[in-house]
Amino acid sequence: MRGVCFAPTKRDLFQSVQDGGSPVKIKRFRIDQKSNTDDLLMSANVEVQQLTTSPFPKVDIPTNFDLGMLKTIAAGQLITVKAKVTSLREPKILQTSRGTLQMLEGQIVDTKGYSKIVFWEKFCEQVEEGMTYIFENVRVKKDTFTKQLYINVTLHGKTGKKVSARAR
């Protein structure tokens, strides 16, 4: 079983606990019963208490993923992935409950797979077709119609660093 926290505000807490290697007791979570995973799902109201000992060994779960691993990741999970933007569509202006927002859809690829990616607002201006980026703190989403997982650059996400220049 793995724990998946959907709250960007709790990410630093879980990172520091993971880095320190101390066991924790977690309250106010739920078990995912909608997918084929055994995920412990946590939101912003999760309570974390540090313990001194644990009856089982620590297992590290990576936060850096390749696109071939996308099917193993819970929808809603925040990840880091290095990928090349292979195509971008024309930006769209959408009316949402949060007001008028700009959205840009594209395709990303790495050596293990490919995925749709969606950028919002300021991130629409930060990416270029043909460039490779490290996308940090981006959310895995599930398309309601196709049921395919894709990457969504959230408000807390980062397009990261340009890793390589466009091939000429």
Side-chain angles (χ1 to χ4, degrees):
M1 178 173 284
R2 67 180 174 170
V4 180
C5 185
F6 299 109
T9 56
K10 298 283 185 173
R11 190 170 178 106
D12 289 341
L13 168 64
F14 281 105
Q15 188 65 51
S16 69
V17 168
Q18 178 180 333
D19 292 346
S22 63
V24 294
K25 180 177 183 177
I26 299 172
K27 296 180 184 177
R28 301 183 79 177
F29 61 87
R30 66 184 177 86
I31 305 292
D32 181 13
Q33 297 176 344
K34 294 181 181 176
S35 63
N36 296 329
T37 62
D38 290 326
D39 291 335
L40 188 103
L41 305 179
M42 298 167 278
S43 61
N45 64 349
V46 66
E47 293 179 22
V48 179
Q49 176 187 358
Q50 291 191 345
L51 304 174
T52 54
T53 61
S54 171
F56 50 85
K58 176 186 173 193
V59 176
D60 286 325
I61 297 175
T63 55
N64 293 339
F65 293 90
D66 60 56
L67 294 174
M69 300 167 71
L70 201 55
K71 293 177 184 163
T72 67
I73 301 168
Q77 186 171 343
L78 294 169
I79 65 168
T80 295
V81 65
K82 177 182 172 184
K84 180 179 182 176
V85 177
T86 56
S87 67
L88 292 171
R89 294 184 176 182
E90 289 297 317
K92 295 179 184 177
I93 303 297
L94 302 176
Q95 297 298 325
T96 72
S97 59
R98 295 182 180 180
T100 304
L101 298 175
Q102 183 180 15
M103 181 200 63
L104 177 64
E105 290 182 322
Q107 193 81 14
I108 56 175
V109 65
D110 68 11
T111 58
K112 305 288 185 181
Y114 63 94
S115 174
K116 171 180 149 182
I117 190 164
V118 177
F119 301 96
W120 294 93
E121 288 298 297
K122 66 181 180 182
F123 299 111
C124 296
E125 308 298 322
Q126 294 179 358
V127 292
E128 297 176 46
E129 196 171 295
M131 300 298 289
T132 300
Y133 297 89
I134 297 174
F135 298 100
E136 297 178 44
N137 212 22
V138 294
R139 193 169 301 279
V140 176
K141 301 280 273 188
K142 185 182 250 185
D143 188 284
T144 21
F145 299 109
T146 67
K147 306 296 184 211
Q148 295 290 316
L149 295 173
Y150 67 94
I151 307 295
N152 189 54
V153 180
T154 66
L155 174 64
H156 300 283
K158 298 178 185 171
T159 56
K161 308 162 201 86
K162 282 185 188 178
V163 177
S164 67
R166 203 181 337 234
R168 301 213 184 244

